[in-house]
């Protein structure tokens, strides 16, 4: 059962790490236009459908939310909004650093800080549950090693930026900008950790034993992504107005193509958290893996995103030394996510 749970999480991770590939097929749309359309599916419609799986026959959405303490409900949405900033900068980090480096730094930071932020913030609101007890010595070591891995990946990115000509950089990643990208990716990782905090606040938003364990976190996932969608939509509308790109949505020659690829990108992105919920249902026998499931998901996202980075030739032209440093950083980052259960 545990192996099946990890396998499901890995499949969801692989799909998520592939979500930026369909976006490359979008034609003649600005960044803000395609990001908004894919967000409608990734953050809103698909999570809503996922939440419906957690509602047993004879119950309603209204009943689900009306029986939930309003504090937990709004805190879940609030941290979703904070995560929305991370989701927004996630796209920007890949825009300026590429799929491999952008996801590595952003998701690595998210994996490390997400592990710490949840127990710390929950301790403030629910000290009677002693959530800080989750931050054992082995967990802290894992976070420290994670940050080391991030630093090494950043060094590889700096080596890439210094070694390639401007033409080579633009060929691999059109808008490559390492200084700008690294700041955005770190901010993204910090804010993205709020997703796990939102899930913690919304852990009991379900019908208890009547909701299958595999679906129990899907209502909280919807509320988190709902908060994130509001932030992303507001920013995209602002950019549409600022850049005069409202006409993107009426370009009939590319509309069908772009919407279809946005749907695909959104479905691939959401699959990571759908898979996380389904997979955790098979991990209940291992408290350690349950605690680390979010961290494991982020680690796998880094692994698969770098495989895509190699396939998309984002590191083409870099020296073997640069690639070696990158590989070392990725290995350390992955090990850090599994380290707490090994100590």
């Amino acid at each position: 059962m545990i192996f099946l749970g990890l396998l499901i999480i890995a499949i969801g991770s692989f799909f998520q790490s592939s979500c930026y590939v369909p976006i490359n097929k979008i034609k003649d749309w600005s960044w803000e236009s395609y990001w908004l359309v894919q967000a409608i599916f990734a953050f809103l419609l698909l999570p809503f459908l996922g939440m419906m799986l957690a509602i047993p026959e004879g119950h309603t959405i209204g009943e689900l939310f009306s029986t939930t303490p309003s504090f937990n409900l709004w805190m879940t949405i609030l941290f979703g909004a904070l995560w929305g900033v991370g989701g927004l900068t996630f796209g920007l980090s890949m825009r300026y650093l590429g799929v491999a480096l952008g996801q590595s730094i952003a998701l690595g930071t998210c994996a490390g800080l997400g592990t710490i932020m949840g127990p710390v913030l929950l301790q403030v609101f629910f000290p009677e549950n002693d959530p800080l007890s989750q931050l054992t010595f082995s967990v802290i070591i894992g976070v420290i090693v994670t940050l080391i891995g991030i630093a090494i990946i950043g060094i590889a990115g700096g080596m890439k930026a210094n070694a390639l000509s401007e033409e080579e950089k633009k060929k691999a990643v059109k808008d490559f900008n390492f200084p700008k990208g690294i700041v955005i990716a770190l901010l993204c990782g910090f804010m993205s950790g709020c997703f796990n905090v939102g899930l913690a606040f919304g852990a009991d938003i379900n019908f208890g034993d009547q909701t299958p364990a595999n679906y129990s976190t899907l209502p909280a996932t919807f509320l988190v992504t709902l908060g994130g969608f509001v932030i992303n939509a507001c920013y995209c509308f602002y950019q549409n107005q600022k850049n005069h790109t409202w006409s993107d949505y009426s370009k009939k020659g590319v509309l069908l193509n772009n919407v279809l690829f946005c749907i695909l990108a959104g479905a691939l992105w959401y699959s990571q958290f759908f898979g996380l919920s389904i997979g955790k249902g098979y991990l209940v026998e291992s408290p350690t893996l349950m605690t680390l499931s979010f961290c494991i998901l982020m680690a796998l996202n880094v692994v698969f995103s770098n495989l895509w980075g190699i396939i998309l030739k984002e590191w083409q032209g870099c020296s073997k030394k640069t690639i070696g440093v990158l590989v070392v950083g990725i290995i350390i980052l992955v090990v850090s996510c599994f380290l707490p259960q090994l100590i």
Side-chain angles (χ1 to χ4, degrees), residues 16 19 35 85-94 103 106-107 188 269:
Q16 184 280 334
C19 72
W35 190 257
V85 177
L88 180 64
T89 52
F90 182 70
L92 292 175
S93 66
M94 289 187 290
Q103 288 205 46
L107 297 179
C188 168
W269 183 91

Side-chain angles (χ1 to χ4, degrees), residues 24-316:
N24 290 331
K25 301 294 183 179
I26 294 174
K27 304 175 182 177
D28 200 25
W29 268 13
S30 62
W31 177 89
E32 57 269 18
S33 298
Y34 73 67
W35 190 257
L36 174 64
V37 175
Q38 72 86 30
I40 291 174
F41 295 96
F43 301 168
L44 199 61
L45 297 182
L46 292 174
F48 178 81
L49 294 176
M51 177 183 65
M52 296 300 293
L53 295 174
I55 301 178
E57 186 177 354
H59 296 278
T60 65
I61 297 176
E63 183 183 354
L64 174 66
F65 292 146
S66 64
T67 56
T68 299
S70 58
F71 177 79
N72 292 67
L73 197 68
W74 287 110
M75 289 300 284
T76 303
I77 297 175
L78 171 62
F79 280 100
L82 295 176
W83 162 80
V85 177
L88 180 64
T89 52
F90 182 70
L92 292 175
S93 66
M94 289 187 290
R95 176 181 178 180
Y96 294 120
L97 295 177
V99 174
L101 186 57
Q103 288 205 46
S104 295
I105 296 176
L107 297 179
T109 307
C110 177
L113 295 182
T115 303
I116 297 294
M117 290 169 59
V120 170
L121 292 176
L122 287 175
Q123 180 70 29
V124 175
F125 297 100
F126 305 106
E128 66 278 7
N129 297 331
D130 191 24
L132 283 180
S133 62
Q134 300 175 35
L135 299 181
T136 61
F137 173 77
S138 58
V139 171
I140 298 298
I141 292 297
V143 171
I144 293 174
V145 176
T146 296
L147 296 178
I148 292 174
I150 294 170
I152 293 176
I153 292 172
I155 291 173
M159 293 170 66
K160 172 186 176 181
N162 293 330
L164 298 180
S165 65
E166 288 300 318
E167 183 179 347
E168 288 174 321
K169 295 175 188 176
K170 301 300 181 182
K171 183 178 179 180
V173 180
K174 182 180 178 181
D175 298 319
F176 185 81
N177 187 319
F178 183 72
K180 188 174 185 178
I182 198 73
V183 172
I184 292 175
L186 289 173
L187 173 63
C188 168
F190 176 78
M191 300 304 289
S192 293
C194 292
F195 195 106
N196 205 28
V197 180
L199 291 181
F201 275 102
D204 295 326
I205 304 179
N206 51 60
F207 289 98
D209 294 337
Q210 297 182 62
T211 299
N214 304 86
Y215 302 148
S216 62
T217 64
L218 291 176
T221 300
F222 168 70
L223 292 177
V224 172
T225 57
L226 174 63
F229 174 76
V230 172
I231 298 298
N232 279 259
C234 289
Y235 181 79
C236 289
F237 286 146
Y238 166 75
Q239 289 296 319
N240 280 141
Q241 182 66 29
K242 176 184 177 181
N243 299 327
H244 307 288
T245 52
W246 292 106
S247 60
D248 285 349
Y249 306 115
S250 60
K251 293 179 179 178
K252 297 181 179 180
V254 298
L255 185 61
L256 180 60
N257 173 85
N258 291 357
V259 170
L260 288 176
F261 279 114
C262 282
I263 293 175
L264 178 57
L268 290 172
W269 183 91
Y270 174 64
S271 64
Q272 65 176 314
F273 294 113
F274 185 78
L276 178 64
S277 180
I278 301 298
K280 287 174 69 174
Y282 295 102
L283 302 180
V284 292
E285 298 178 1
S286 174
T288 299
L289 289 178
M290 285 287 287
T291 302
L292 291 172
S293 58
F294 183 80
C295 199
I296 291 173
L297 174 65
M298 295 300 107
L300 292 172
N301 285 350
V302 171
V303 172
F304 290 125
S305 66
N306 275 278
L307 291 178
W308 274 116
I310 293 173
I311 293 173
L312 296 175
K313 300 180 179 180
E314 292 180 355
W315 293 88
Q316 187 175 16

